[in-house]
Amino acid sequence: MVTAAAPGPLPDQGVDVVLRDGSTVLVRPIRPGDREGLRRMYRSLSRRSLELRFGPDISEEALERALAGFLEADGIARAGVVAVSGPAGDLIAHACYERTGPARAEVAFAVADAFQGRGLGTILLGQLAEIGEANGIREFEAFVRPDHHQMIDVLRSSGFPVEMDVRAGAIQALFPTALTEEARARFEQRERLAAIAALTSVFAPRAVAVIGASRRRGTIGGEIFHNLLAYGFTGRVYAVNPAATEVQGQPSFPSIEAVPGPVDLAVIVVPAAALADVAAQCARKGVRALVVISSGFAEIGEAGRQRQARLLEICRASGMRLIGPNCMGILNTDPAVRLNATFAPVEPPAGRVAFMSQSGALGLAIMDYAASLGLGLSSFASVGNKADISGNDLIQYWEDDARTDVILLYLESFGNPRKFSRIARRLGRRKPIVVVKSGRSPAGARATSSHTGALLAASDVTVDALFRQAGVIRTDTLEELFDVAALLANQPAPSGPGVAIVTNSGGPAILCADTAEAEGLVVPVLADEIQARLRALLPAEASVGNPVDMLASATAEQYGQAIRAVAADPGVNAVVAIFIPPMVTRAEDVARSIVAAARELPPGKPLLTVFMSSRGVPEALRAPGVRIPSFAFPEDAAIALARAARYGAWRAQGPSPEPAFPDLQRPRA
């Protein structure tokens, strides 16, 4: 588990936490065997840091007595936690409390000089507060020198309601151990910023190395290296191949440590058995993130799980972040970056949709499909086994990404459903999240385990409930996923269930109406004044109740007039225009008329089209400033609209408070 949000119970083995710069360290309870590690950490502190922690007269003997006291922690009246980093498991921070009254304890901590200013003190404080509250401690106190500005800033920015009082040359700070809503919000904000920092090294690196780059096109290592060059990555690209001095016209290096410049991101395509050594080399080089394409990890069984655990251990020890293993790469279409670290054979157009896939091969097919639809991507990530970076990290990154309006996810498993729900509730108020979650059936759930090493295949009933409460749009198929994306990337979510259907053929309109109402939409009878307006525009034989059947003789101009008319009805929240090419009216003319009408529609009323033509979608629907989604069949449009309408209704409800359980018996549970 990786966290920087509101802390939870701290297991004996500890938790991996994300610092402000996106790197990770392990936080765990202090152990009797930590004496030497603590001694090294405290003796490594600058003289000023030691004085701020213990006072100006700290001696070697006093420091040793303090260390002995730290190790006597019983986890109840006296408790301590440490942070661990580096290949040797160096202790880099220590925090502790000691009970000073029935419900009060004094708290203090120290952070190694190299790790100060990265948010670690606040994380340790939150973990101690969690331990203290569970042990009946309701209030912490801390005594701080007035010139210890860093500690004062940590306390004030923690989110805990801190009261400060000057006493005998020191500042006494008092604050409750229970997390307030403000403190919880602060922790969540820190987590979000940490996820952004981590993924900035992934999506916007200054330099990328492909370890396993191949001279031969058609191989994975060859295609990834080619795509990085051909797509025009704006940073440096390095080939690492010990068997070649040149790869595709670029110099090649025998190892990552031989690369002359700094490297932020390494894309690794080597046999699984060699990966631990390669990852260790990356750690020594100072690489900030890895994208591991190689398979042969948790998805193949126990031996693979052990190999994956070793890879993650190396990443954690050095603070590197990891996408994969068993993935197909990442993409960022930002013109300032132009990063295509995938082996996809197509170049997807740039757009406003971000996409994460837990399946690599499926991600390739989906990128191809998106390109055929003209649905542009802002960025893409294949996460494979999700050993480290997960969907939760990605959606937090995309939450603040100015180039992303809609987020698409293909999920096979959840690592932390509660965290996903919390993030989605917040993010969904601004940007829709559309998900295909596989593994509905027992057979599908079994397959997810062997495909990406998924450990948790949640009950589909609970998944549905989670998505409904969090405002996530769930689709049944990948085609629906992109139908909804095409709608929400180009049009607003409807503010209600009412839909008007305008057509030149009754049959498709009936199918659209049937599907719409079966999916929870309403096809209302239009108001009398709207019907009168339509009768003045259309032949006497036309039907104006809703659906509005203008007959096969309908002109392009009548399409625009009818759309404007039905959109003016207060009971209509969205409009679907269906066109079947007759002998006389051209699809391009109808499309231009629809676009002109769309520019005049009331805000918040989406317009969808169905062009049932073998020639495809008219280019006129992609006019500057107005992009109108078009569907091959009326049922597709109705289903996409229904999904968007449910999302619009959830967003209109406003945030609901999370349920509280005051009688929760955590120790017994």
Side-chain angles (χ1 to χ4, degrees):
M1 180 175 68
V2 184
T3 183
L10 187 63
D12 290 341
Q13 71 273 21
V15 295
D16 293 305
V17 301
V18 187
L19 304 184
R20 189 175 294 148
D21 62 356
S23 62
T24 60
V25 299
L26 175 72
V27 173
R28 61 165 173 79
I30 196 168
R31 298 169 182 164
D34 284 333
R35 176 184 290 272
E36 189 56 37
L38 276 178
R39 181 182 289 117
R40 283 197 300 269
M41 189 208 83
Y42 275 105
R43 286 181 172 173
S44 73
L45 295 179
S46 65
R47 186 65 195 175
R48 173 166 173 76
S49 293
L50 272 175
E51 290 179 355
L52 290 173
R53 172 64 178 86
F54 296 106
D57 301 322
I58 183 69
S59 64
E60 281 290 323
E61 294 77 12
L63 179 58
E64 286 297 321
R65 286 195 299 272
L67 293 177
F70 297 153
L71 296 170
E72 293 173 0
D74 60 7
I76 301 174
R78 178 183 287 179
V81 295
V82 294
V84 182
S85 180
D90 298 328
L91 302 192
I92 47 110
H94 168 240
C96 59
Y97 75 71
E98 184 170 355
R99 194 187 294 269
T100 57
R104 178 183 287 188
E106 182 179 347
V107 64
F109 53 88
V111 178
D113 294 354
F115 283 82
Q116 291 178 10
R118 294 163 68 177
L120 184 52
T122 304
I123 293 172
L124 296 179
L125 182 62
Q127 293 291 354
L128 273 185
E130 179 77 20
I131 296 169
E133 185 184 18
N135 290 322
I137 294 171
R138 300 290 171 257
E139 188 175 49
F140 274 164
E141 63 180 346
F143 294 93
V144 188
R145 280 177 36 169
D147 60 342
H148 196 345
H149 304 299
Q150 283 180 298
M151 173 69 92
I152 294 170
D153 288 343
V154 166
L155 295 173
R156 283 180 170 165
S157 64
S158 66
F160 290 94
V162 181
E163 296 179 7
M164 293 195 179
D165 188 21
V166 178
R167 293 193 175 191
I171 296 175
Q172 181 193 37
L174 293 172
F175 54 96
T177 57
L179 280 179
T180 62
E181 284 304 314
E182 180 185 2
R184 192 175 299 278
R186 293 278 184 93
F187 275 105
E188 290 183 358
Q189 172 69 355
R190 291 186 189 96
E191 177 187 49
R192 191 171 62 82
L193 294 176
I196 292 170
L199 284 163
T200 297
S201 298
V202 173
F203 284 118
R206 293 164 299 178
V208 179
V210 180
I211 303 176
S214 175
R215 290 173 291 185
R216 290 189 299 113
R217 295 289 307 279
T219 63
I220 292 177
E223 290 305 305
I224 290 175
F225 192 71
H226 168 78
N227 284 349
L228 278 165
L229 297 174
Y231 198 60
F233 176 56
T234 57
R236 297 292 302 273
V237 181
Y238 297 105
V240 176
N241 184 333
T245 58
E246 183 181 289
V247 171
Q248 299 183 34
Q250 302 294 316
S252 178
F253 301 91
S255 72
I256 184 68
E257 293 177 282
V259 170
V263 175
D264 288 333
L265 178 68
V267 183
I268 304 178
V269 192
V270 301
L275 229 146
D277 289 341
V278 170
Q281 293 172 26
C282 290
R284 292 193 295 269
K285 175 69 176 176
V287 175
R288 292 179 58 84
L290 309 180
V291 174
V292 176
I293 309 296
S294 313
S295 58
F297 293 88
E299 77 280 3
I300 67 168
E302 183 57 32
R305 280 193 287 273
Q306 292 178 10
R307 192 177 290 133
Q308 184 166 304
R310 175 59 183 148
L311 170 62
L312 189 58
E313 180 184 336
I314 294 168
C315 291
R316 289 281 182 266
S318 61
M320 287 188 302
R321 303 307 303 272
L322 167 66
I323 286 187
N326 186 30
C327 74
M328 62 149 284
I330 57 170
L331 170 82
N332 184 359
T333 63
D334 185 347
V337 180
R338 294 195 61 81
L339 174 71
N340 185 359
T342 75
F343 49 95
V346 296
E347 182 177 304
R352 312 290 302 175
V353 176
F355 179 56
M356 184 214 85
S357 175
Q358 203 170 335
S359 166
L362 187 60
L364 283 173
I366 287 173
M367 287 174 66
D368 189 20
Y369 184 58
S372 70
L373 293 177
L375 188 64
L377 298 178
S378 59
S379 52
F380 165 81
S382 163
V383 294
N385 293 3
K386 296 195 300 184
D388 177 23
I389 295 291
S390 68
N392 291 337
D393 299 302
L394 285 161
I395 61 178
Q396 289 190 100
Y397 174 81
W398 287 324
E399 180 177 2
D400 274 2
D401 181 21
R403 299 181 62 252
T404 296
D405 293 333
V406 181
I407 297 168
L408 308 185
L409 307 175
Y410 169 73
L411 297 177
E412 294 181 354
S413 65
F414 283 104
N416 190 333
R418 183 178 180 182
K419 181 177 174 182
F420 175 86
S421 176
R422 186 181 71 245
I423 298 168
R425 285 171 186 263
R426 180 185 73 231
L427 171 56
R429 301 289 165 193
R430 296 174 48 214
K431 299 179 181 181
I433 303 172
V434 192
V435 174
V436 168
K437 168 65 175 69
S438 63
R440 286 178 179 269
S441 66
R446 288 195 305 272
T448 63
S449 178
S450 61
H451 183 211
T452 54
L455 297 179
L456 175 61
S459 157
D460 205 59
V461 173
T462 60
V463 170
D464 265 339
L466 184 154
F467 286 165
R468 283 197 304 272
Q469 292 176 0
V472 173
I473 305 168
R474 183 176 191 176
T475 64
D476 295 324
T477 67
L478 291 169
E479 187 174 22
E480 283 182 24
L481 179 85
F482 279 93
D483 285 345
V484 175
L487 169 55
L488 292 175
N490 298 300
Q491 296 283 301
S495 58
V499 55
I501 302 168
V502 175
T503 182
N504 66 348
S505 176
I510 294 169
L511 291 172
C512 186
D514 286 346
T515 304
E517 297 212 329
E519 293 288 334
L521 298 175
V522 177
V523 184
V525 175
L526 297 172
D528 291 343
E529 60 271 24
I530 302 299
Q531 292 195 41
R533 182 174 165 185
L534 289 167
R535 287 194 184 95
L537 299 172
L538 303 174
E541 297 84 359
S543 174
V544 296
N546 195 18
V548 176
D549 183 0
M550 301 182 295
L551 306 179
S553 60
T555 64
E557 183 181 16
Q558 286 173 329
Y559 262 94
Q561 293 170 334
I563 289 169
R564 293 182 184 90
V566 299
D569 191 314
V572 170
N573 307 108
V575 180
V576 178
I578 302 173
F579 175 76
I580 294 182
M583 295 295 293
V584 291
T585 307
R586 295 192 324 132
E588 284 292 335
D589 295 335
V590 171
R592 279 190 284 271
S593 182
I594 289 174
V595 167
R599 298 184 190 279
E600 301 174 24
L601 291 192
K605 289 195 178 184
L607 173 60
L608 295 71
T609 64
V610 179
F611 276 78
M612 300 180 68
S613 169
S614 60
R615 300 184 188 89
V617 179
E619 189 60 36
L621 291 178
R622 297 168 183 160
V626 177
R627 294 180 66 89
I628 301 172
S630 189
F631 302 86
F633 298 102
E635 300 95 329
D636 299 338
I639 291 170
L641 184 59
R643 302 284 189 269
R646 281 198 284 273
Y647 167 69
W650 172 85
R651 196 168 58 180
Q653 290 174 355
S656 58
E658 291 189 22
F661 302 98
D663 58 343
L664 184 67
Q665 299 178 52
R666 179 176 290 156
R668 291 184 65 188

